[in-house]
């Protein structure tokens, strides 16, 4: 596994001079999130309206978010900077699988969080590779994708937490700029996270071969 500095350098090397596609895709991601957050506040506590919004989110926003995360993987591996188009195309092609896989992951995380906050946080990191696995492993069911993520992340949950923590300066900047900084934080962080996933995936494959 690489250091946080190395993952961030990989991300910056790809983004340097090519921030615009990532910023545009991030703007769409943020707008979608804000729209549904705003609509949630207008439901007036109506269970039916809230449920309807949740369903729409899992049909629209969740598949796009999975496509969005994997679009940065395509940028890293193929120098493919069509990040917004790739996010949309990936989401459209597999929206049912992505929605179901992420729904199961969210429910499992929520159940762990109901026990205690810390176990919920730990499991949240254990399941964080689910969006990549849903795209990468069509042979793995949507139901099992989060379980595979849990297995792959053994010994690496703190590594990913520490990587995210290294972006604390960017996160603070995003807060003080009322979210504008997120337009640059998303491409930077998700590119670094995609590089992290590639290493975890390679290590897991090596571990499986050793056991076999």
């Amino acid at each position: 596994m690489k250091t946080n500095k190395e993952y961030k350098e990989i991300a910056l090397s790809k983004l340097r001079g090519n921030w615009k596609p990532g910023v545009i895709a991030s703007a769409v991601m943020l707008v979608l999130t804000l729209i549904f957050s705003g609509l949630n506040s207008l439901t007036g506590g109506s269970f039916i309206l809230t449920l309807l919004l949740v369903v729409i989110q899992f049909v629209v926003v969740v598949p796009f978010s999975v496509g969005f995360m994997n679009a940065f993987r395509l940028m890293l591996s193929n120098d493919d900077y069509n990040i917004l188009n790739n996010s949309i195309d990936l989401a459209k092609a597999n929206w049912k699988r992505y929605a179901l896989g992420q729904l199961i992951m969210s429910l499992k995380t929520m159940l762990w969080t109901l026990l205690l906050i810390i176990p919920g946080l730990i499991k949240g990191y254990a399941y964080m590779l689910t969006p990549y696995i849903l795209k990468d492993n069509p042979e793995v069911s949507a139901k099992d994708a989060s379980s595979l993520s849990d297995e792959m992340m053994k010994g690496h949950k703190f590594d990913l937490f520490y990587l995210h923590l290294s972006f604390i300066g960017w996160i603070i900047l995003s807060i003080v700029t009322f979210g504008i900084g997120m337009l640059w934080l998303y491409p930077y962080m998700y590119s670094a996270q995609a590089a992290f996933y590639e290493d975890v995936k390679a290590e897991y494959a090596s571990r499986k071969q050793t056991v076999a």
Side-chain angles (χ1 to χ4, degrees), residues 137-182:
N137 300 272
E139 75 283 359
V140 176
S141 70
K143 178 174 69 71
D144 293 333
S146 52
S147 297
L148 177 56
S149 175
D150 192 4
E151 189 177 344
M152 291 174 67
M153 283 292 280
K154 286 178 180 176
H156 297 300
K157 290 183 282 293
F158 182 76
D159 294 335
L160 184 54
F161 173 76
Y162 186 46
L163 177 60
H164 287 166
L165 193 63
S166 72
F167 288 94
I168 188 65
W170 284 76
I171 293 169
I172 293 171
L173 180 63
S174 298
I175 293 170
V176 300
T177 57
F178 302 99
I180 294 174
M182 301 287 282

Side-chain angles (χ1 to χ4, degrees), residues 22-172:
V23 169
I24 291 172
S26 297
V28 174
M29 184 76 250
L30 281 172
V31 167
L32 284 173
T33 303
L34 288 172
I35 287 173
F36 280 93
S37 295
L39 289 174
N40 280 328
S41 66
L42 297 175
T43 59
S46 168
F47 174 76
I48 293 176
L49 287 177
T50 301
L51 181 61
L52 179 61
L53 279 176
V54 169
V55 170
I56 295 173
Q57 278 182 288
F58 271 95
V59 170
V60 178
V61 182
V62 169
F64 180 82
S65 69
V66 175
F68 178 75
M69 292 173 67
N70 280 284
F72 286 104
R73 286 186 61 219
L74 291 176
M75 182 195 76
L76 288 182
S77 60
N78 301 339
D79 290 327
D80 187 342
Y81 289 90
N82 295 309
I83 296 171
L84 179 57
N85 288 340
N86 288 336
S87 299
I88 295 170
D89 290 344
L90 288 169
K92 284 165 57 179
N94 296 284
W95 71 269
K96 290 181 183 177
R97 174 177 167 78
Y98 293 166
L100 180 58
Q102 291 292 91
L103 174 62
I104 293 169
M105 181 197 76
S106 298
L107 290 173
K108 288 166 75 172
T109 304
M110 183 179 69
L111 289 172
W112 277 99
T113 305
L114 288 174
L115 295 175
L116 281 172
I117 297 297
I118 298 301
L121 179 63
I122 292 171
K123 280 300 181 180
Y125 270 87
Y127 300 145
M128 211 163 279
L129 301 185
T130 303
Y132 304 114
I133 292 168
L134 287 167
K135 158 68 172 58
D136 239 8
N137 300 272
E139 75 283 359
V140 176
S141 70
K143 178 174 69 71
D144 293 333
S146 52
S147 297
L148 177 56
S149 175
D150 192 4
E151 189 177 344
M152 291 174 67
M153 283 292 280
K154 286 178 180 176
H156 297 300
K157 290 183 282 293
F158 182 76
D159 294 335
L160 184 54
F161 173 76
Y162 186 46
L163 177 60
H164 287 166
L165 193 63
S166 72
F167 288 94
I168 188 65
W170 284 76
I171 293 169
I172 293 171

